[in-house]
Amino acid sequence: MSDDAPSPAPAARLRGLLPDLAPWRASADFRRLWVAGLITGFGSFLTFVALPVQMKELTGSVAAVGAIGAVELVPLIVFGLYGGALADALDKRKLILLTEAGQGVLSAVLLVNTLLPHPSVWPLYGVAALASALESIQRPALDSLVPRIVAHEHLPAAASLNSLRWTVGGVTGPALAGVVVAYAGLGWAYAADLATFAVSVVLIVGLAAAPASHEAAKPSLRSIAEGARYAWSRKELLGTYAIDLAAMFFAMPLAVLPFLADELDAEWSLGLMYAALPAGALLVTLTSGWTSRVQRHGRVVALAAALWGLAMVAAGVVDDVWLVLLFLVVGGGFDMVSGIFRSAMWNQTIPDELRGRLAGIELLSYSVGPQLGQVRAGGMAAWTNVRTSIWAGGALCVGAVGLLALCLPKLMTYDVRTNEHALRMRELRRAEDQAAAEAA
């Protein structure tokens, strides 16, 4: 090669940053799930925006709108745990299909109620509670299905691609929903959500059957307790749950963003503030090719959670609205980094017969934390002020993550190349793939 020949290094480095598409290319079932999730994600954001808008129109009460979150919380906790037990004991494909169809029926209920001459309030609360229950049942089945349909070495890439799907919806979904609700009306929003569920049901029907493992326990309180004992015995897993809960409880700022926009005399920026966190997550997922080359996942989980807290400290201290938006984007990116590696640790080390129950515990760790964080942020803002609520919450997050890292050394020493649970799952998958190849 001559001295003046172009170097391939920059192009190679760029390709190394792009998302790893290996799971997409290798697994038709993964492609179906990914596309179905993308489509229903847009529809769900339509209802996410339309439901509180309709509640506001019908009641004119801030408390009535806030009560939507309250009626969603109990089903989330109860059915998240029980849904994990169901995912281990039943065919995951059937469970996903039934819950997806059920959510479509709930969208139809909202549509019918909206078309009535005098829409009622109680169906809105009923649908919110039932939708939370169905999603809590479905999510462990979805999470526990991924390690079955994706090769063991491709699981970090699958986590990145699933995060990409979520962040694309998180950035564009609310904006699209706002336009539909404002210009087309609530009925069209609910009708579009119903249509997305119909498409996703067709896609899910094409998935291969995913029967329960022979070792799976029947769904019961005893089986749920068995999953909890296993999680407690795995201190590196316990660390991922605890760090995520701490990060979301102490540093999630969403509840006070409207007041922060007012303090900065930038009411116009509120929509950008809400979009900034998922925008940061989207930037990470679009450049997530590097994640497949990381081996010490536990250290990255802790470091990224601490940096998320520091970003919130900065967002609470600075006075310029554009700097606030920048630090919110940075924080969203670090939160996504932590999430990608938490998911990789879960998927690469948890036995198939326990995967659903552990996915139920994971659901609680990343769903309950943000909701409790809203209470923390609002309460601290009322006690002190908005800016203190944000920066002090970030500082508490950093301190909590550091303390957890010291108390859970197995999390910090976790290495996917040497961890006994990861090695066992890798060998099991290799044996299963070899047996399937011989049978074919």
Side-chain angles (χ1 to χ4, degrees):
M1 181 181 292
S2 62
D3 291 340
D4 58 349
S7 171
R13 286 196 294 269
L14 178 60
R15 286 194 298 271
L17 288 175
L18 295 176
D20 184 354
L21 299 179
W24 177 276
R25 290 192 294 263
S27 173
D29 280 347
F30 180 79
R31 291 194 297 272
R32 284 181 175 273
L33 274 184
W34 197 93
V35 174
L38 180 67
I39 292 171
T40 56
F42 279 105
S44 296
F45 271 112
L46 289 170
T47 297
F48 177 78
V49 172
L51 192 63
V53 169
Q54 187 173 25
M55 182 67 74
K56 174 178 174 292
E57 290 180 355
L58 293 177
T59 67
S61 168
V62 176
V65 175
I68 295 174
V71 302
E72 292 173 335
L73 184 58
V74 173
L76 173 68
I77 296 172
V78 174
F79 289 96
L81 292 173
Y82 190 66
L86 288 174
D88 283 335
L90 304 177
D91 186 304
K92 295 174 177 57
R93 171 186 167 277
K94 290 182 180 178
L95 194 57
I96 294 168
L97 182 60
L98 289 173
T99 50
E100 194 78 356
Q103 291 179 83
V105 170
L106 294 179
S107 296
V109 170
L110 290 174
L111 175 59
V112 171
N113 182 60
T114 301
L115 296 178
L116 293 175
H118 302 287
S120 299
V121 169
W122 68 264
L124 305 187
Y125 287 123
V127 166
L130 290 172
S132 178
L134 287 175
E135 185 176 356
S136 299
I137 292 171
Q138 184 188 76
R139 188 59 183 264
L142 283 169
D143 289 348
S144 60
L145 181 59
V146 171
R148 283 198 179 188
I149 62 177
V150 174
H152 188 271
E153 63 273 17
H154 294 161
L155 287 172
S160 297
L161 290 175
N162 282 333
S163 298
L164 174 62
R165 182 197 71 207
W166 179 87
T167 53
V168 167
V171 173
T172 60
L176 175 63
V179 172
V180 172
V181 170
Y183 293 100
L186 294 166
W188 283 102
Y190 294 139
D193 192 15
L194 175 59
T196 63
F197 279 117
V199 173
S200 66
V201 165
V202 172
L203 289 169
I204 293 169
V205 166
L207 293 175
S213 169
H214 293 302
E215 296 81 12
K218 299 293 183 183
S220 63
L221 290 176
R222 182 177 180 180
S223 68
I224 293 172
E226 180 186 359
R229 284 194 298 271
Y230 177 82
W232 182 260
S233 71
R234 294 278 310 279
K235 300 308 181 189
E236 67 275 30
L237 291 184
L238 193 64
T240 65
Y241 304 146
I243 281 181
D244 187 40
L245 278 170
M248 294 298 99
F249 176 74
F250 287 117
M252 177 56 76
L254 292 183
V256 298
L257 290 184
F259 304 95
L260 178 62
D262 288 344
E263 282 198 11
L264 295 173
D265 196 24
E267 292 83 357
W268 54 267
S269 69
L270 180 59
L272 294 178
M273 288 183 182
Y274 280 124
L277 293 175
L282 179 60
L283 289 174
V284 168
T285 55
L286 288 174
T287 57
S288 60
W290 61 273
T291 60
S292 297
R293 299 187 292 275
V294 175
Q295 313 298 335
R296 295 183 178 274
H297 299 164
R299 292 184 181 181
V300 181
V301 167
L303 177 61
L307 291 173
W308 147 264
L310 285 176
M312 294 306 104
V313 171
V317 169
V318 297
D319 293 319
D320 185 271
V321 65
W322 293 107
L323 288 177
V324 170
L325 290 170
L326 172 62
F327 287 121
L328 289 175
V329 170
V330 171
F334 283 123
D335 182 45
M336 178 53 65
V337 170
S338 180
I340 287 172
F341 288 104
R342 289 196 311 270
S343 181
M345 288 178 65
W346 298 337
N347 288 338
Q348 289 185 317
T349 66
I350 297 173
D352 185 69
E353 65 272 14
L354 287 164
R355 191 67 191 85
R357 280 164 284 175
L358 271 292
I361 295 173
E362 294 154 17
L363 174 68
L364 297 184
S365 76
Y366 59 68
S367 298
V368 174
Q371 291 188 326
L372 293 178
Q374 304 285 55
V375 177
R376 192 283 315 165
M380 184 174 285
W383 180 44
T384 57
N385 58 65
V386 171
R387 306 292 290 279
T388 300
S389 173
I390 297 173
W391 72 255
L396 289 169
C397 167
V398 175
V401 169
L403 182 62
L404 288 168
L406 289 174
C407 294
L408 296 166
K410 285 193 174 182
L411 175 68
M412 304 305 290
T413 58
Y414 175 89
D415 189 324
V416 69
R417 297 166 298 187
T418 58
N419 180 268
E420 59 176 313
H421 303 282
L423 291 174
R424 185 182 303 117
M425 291 301 298
R426 189 179 300 125
E427 290 301 319
L428 181 60
R429 284 299 301 271
R430 185 178 292 119
E432 291 173 349
D433 292 342
Q434 183 177 353
E438 291 175 353

